[in-house]
Amino acid sequence: MLQTTKRPDSPVSIIGAGIAGAWQALLFAQAGHAVTLHERSDAGMTDATSHWAGGMLAPYCEAEVAEPIISHLGLRSLDIWRRELPDTPFNGSLVVAHPRERNDFERFARMTEGHRRLDAAGLAELEPSLEGRFRDALFFPTEGHVEPRRVLPKLHERIKAAGGTIKFGSDVTANDLEGIVIDCRGLSAREEQGELRGVKGEMILIESSEVQLARPVRLIHPRWPLYVIPREDNLFMLGATSIEAEDTGVSVRSALELLGAAYAVHPAFGEARIVEFGSGLRPAYPDNLPRIGVRGGQISVNGLYRHGFLLAPALAELTLAYVERGQIDNEVMQCA
């Protein structure tokens, strides 16, 4: 087992500057450790799973399909996001449905908490662009969202401000480094962790000046909830596919589903301009739950599945507590 220490100058090497590694590096650097964050790609991070993520911070909504640990860790993460990046938008999130999906809508309401029902007038007051579109909605007021491609560079800057070092173009493995090593490579760690698999998440970025939204909108769907997430500069991200495949790109079927969902939320999206198609492979274990593994002098943080931005801060906090105090969280940690 890794020998824990309370020395603030203990050097820590972290591999992978995506959302999981970035939060590890930030919290360890703030705690006084000499942190080096290694990333094999360049600063653009276009090859990282985080580049294609939705960035939703929605622990209550995720409770509809996820295990309780996801909501538990997610709620803790919300506090850390607020503390470390106080400008993070916490405008809540909305869940809506058309009449034919009424039963699924009510099921979603029963399976989740932390929401209040809005009638058509309440929805229109909250999101004027949706006036007359839905007869009611579920509003989760404490949830938030971030734009991954903007917030990840902010985290990297915070790491450097806290005294950490970031090395882009540094293709290393845990065995190449000494001291405390935290492996956050996601699917790239599969050679050492054969249980990992990739789950493809697809997205489409569209541009429209005719619709304005202040928060993510989830549309109940017969197979999966589809969401529309507002970005800056009149952009919207369409996402929420989870496909058991490890190819890249967006399938025609998924594109039709995502674009159809946007049109179902508001017909003006039919005139939107398509800016980008893309997909990322989310690292997942068979149970789709995150795991902090400790083996010898190395720690791995992996399996964040489709909850990377939601879970990363809380997992970093747990890792730091283990290294500094030997504290073990049995729900997510495995020590060999």
Side-chain angles (χ1 to χ4, degrees), residues 228-247:
V228 179
I229 306 176
R231 300 287 194 231
E232 294 186 10
D233 303 321
N234 296 324
L235 296 175
F236 298 86
M237 178 187 168
L238 317 177
T241 63
S242 291
I243 300 174
E244 293 290 339
E246 296 192 8
D247 62 294

Side-chain angles (χ1 to χ4, degrees), residues 3 16 22 38 53 60 106 117 122 158 186 223 237 243:
Q3 294 297 312
H38 297 267
Y60 290 113
E106 293 298 338
R117 287 182 181 261
R158 290 288 306 278
R223 289 180 295 281
M237 178 187 168
I243 300 174

Side-chain angles (χ1 to χ4, degrees), residues 185-264:
R185 289 179 295 156
L187 204 58
S188 297
R190 188 157 51 179
E191 289 186 6
E192 291 82 15
Q193 300 186 58
E195 289 183 285
L196 284 171
R197 76 188 195 284
V199 180
K200 185 168 71 168
E202 301 159 309
M203 59 81 78
I204 302 177
L205 199 64
I206 62 175
E207 180 183 18
S208 174
S209 60
E210 297 185 48
V211 182
Q212 295 184 354
L213 297 174
R215 53 192 55 79
V217 178
R218 293 184 184 232
L219 178 68
I220 298 297
H221 185 278
R223 289 180 295 281
W224 54 71
L226 295 156
Y227 51 69
V228 179
I229 306 176
R231 300 287 194 231
E232 294 186 10
D233 303 321
N234 296 324
L235 296 175
F236 298 86
M237 178 187 168
L238 317 177
T241 63
S242 291
I243 300 174
E244 293 290 339
E246 296 192 8
D247 62 294
T248 58
V250 179
S251 69
V252 171
R253 180 176 66 180
S254 294
L256 291 172
E257 296 278 13
L258 293 172
L259 293 170
Y263 185 80

